[in-house]
Amino acid sequence: GDRMDTGLKDFSLAIFRFSFNPSEEIWLPPYKGSAFRGVFGSVFKRVVCISSEKVCKSCLLNFRCVYSYTFETPIDGKVKFNTTHLPHPYVIEPPLEEKTLYLPGEYFSLNLILIGNAIEYLPYFVFVMERLGENRIGKRRGRFFLERVENLPHPSDEKGRIIYELKSKRLLADIEIKKPFETGGELQENNSNTLTLHFLTPTRITYRNRLCGPLEFNFSVFIKNILRRIALLTYHCGTELQIDYKDLLIQAENIQMQESSLYWYDWQRYSTRQNTRMKLGGFKGKVVFKGNILPFLPFIKCGEYIHIGKDTSFGLGKYIIEFVEGKQ
């Protein structure tokens, strides 16, 4: 009803797919998020930063800089949340395939979801993605080049509108912007009372100050995390959320877990900045919930775009909804 009008209707995002062609053989790990994360941030900084400050915090341009806004996301006085930092306004979805060797002509692609104000920074992202290939990636440091960028209606779509090609080097301005909370109509048709979620990448949700394991995970934990993430991300959309979540969270306690095949998945990434191997485990797999799902669906659907939990900016916490009973 009218509760959607409180800051949510301004929640906006846009989805892009970047397709790359290797110019020599590239070896990537089975989970590719880590391969892109480190190099992406350092290339972005090198391309954008005009200051010689090592730390963004002590830089005069901190609140006016695309790099700082995107990667450090400093908080100005306007944020009312008790949080030390805001979620980044982007999500990178690495290729989900486990393939590790790519030869020239064997394309790989990644999705980029930009949220709110960050949509305007698309040209920076394209510029950086172009430079990415010169910096080489993977075990043998192979080179690749950005072939094209598409604007997608949904992250799971195969094809979208081409807005950039290597040949022309022209970036089209007309971007489809999604407002997940503007329409409620499509959801009303699903009157099923079961919901299957499929967690496709390691999901790191904090629960009672530590990581939530597959056995502790329940619908309340899920909804609490997704609502908080949406609320914090509205900051990037220039609005603030005034929804009273209390009754939603009370309703969430009535939703039962019907079955779960969640399992823990461990992987590591090497942090060049901290010069250590970081263990980044999370749960993956399927879970089926039963109960009155309808009031939560708009938020859960939004979560398909923005992911859930920690380290979403390089692909963790990706899930999709699978409707049961053949109704979509």
Side-chain angles (χ1 to χ4, degrees), residues 55-68:
V55 191
C56 292
K57 258 201 194 75
S58 47
C59 175
L60 280 174
L61 303 171
N62 191 13
F63 286 99
R64 293 278 172 269
C65 164
V66 181
Y67 172 80
S68 155

Side-chain angles (χ1 to χ4, degrees), residues 247-266:
D247 51 331
L248 263 181
L249 291 172
I250 291 167
Q251 286 176 58
E253 287 169 20
N254 300 325
I255 309 276
Q256 300 302 311
M257 186 183 284
Q258 206 175 12
E259 54 187 275
S260 164
S261 61
L262 297 178
Y263 61 97
W264 193 257
Y265 178 91
D266 257 323

Side-chain angles (χ1 to χ4, degrees), residues 119-266:
I119 299 170
E120 291 171 32
Y121 297 153
L122 174 68
Y124 286 92
F125 281 88
V126 175
F127 191 77
V128 169
M129 293 282 195
E130 275 200 329
R131 296 290 173 284
L132 216 55
E134 299 159 15
N135 281 267
R136 305 161 177 270
I137 204 165
K139 246 197 329 231
R140 308 230 176 115
R141 317 303 288 157
R143 265 191 303 228
F144 55 94
F145 49 91
L146 178 62
E147 188 75 35
R148 65 174 175 273
V149 183
E150 292 161 276
N151 185 193
L152 304 182
H154 191 275
S156 51
D157 288 329
E158 282 307 300
K159 280 207 168 359
R161 186 170 148 266
I162 295 178
I163 55 169
Y164 176 86
E165 279 180 291
L166 181 68
K167 297 194 285 283
S168 65
K169 291 250 183 197
R170 257 180 63 243
L171 182 60
L172 304 180
D174 186 24
I175 300 300
E176 182 192 348
I177 292 181
K178 302 284 285 184
K179 298 208 160 180
F181 296 101
E182 242 181 12
T183 54
E186 52 181 330
L187 303 166
Q188 270 32 73
E189 293 133 43
N190 173 60
N191 52 15
S192 151
N193 66 343
T194 56
L195 170 82
T196 304
L197 298 179
H198 192 171
F199 290 89
L200 299 173
T201 60
T203 302
R204 297 162 61 75
I205 289 178
T206 322
Y207 172 68
R208 299 192 173 148
N209 293 332
R210 55 193 186 85
L211 280 181
C212 177
L215 296 174
E216 299 161 302
F217 183 65
N218 61 36
F219 194 76
S220 290
V221 170
F222 174 64
I223 285 299
K224 199 181 229 143
N225 273 270
I226 209 77
L227 290 178
R228 179 177 169 80
R229 178 156 166 75
I230 290 169
L232 286 169
L233 283 170
T234 56
Y235 168 83
H236 294 297
C237 304
T239 59
E240 215 178 291
L241 221 48
Q242 283 110 24
I243 283 192
D244 177 17
Y245 285 151
K246 279 196 211 66
D247 51 331
L248 263 181
L249 291 172
I250 291 167
Q251 286 176 58
E253 287 169 20
N254 300 325
I255 309 276
Q256 300 302 311
M257 186 183 284
Q258 206 175 12
E259 54 187 275
S260 164
S261 61
L262 297 178
Y263 61 97
W264 193 257
Y265 178 91
D266 257 323

Side-chain angles (χ1 to χ4, degrees), residues 78 108 126 292:
K78 293 200 285 285
F108 57 90
V126 175
N292 180 19

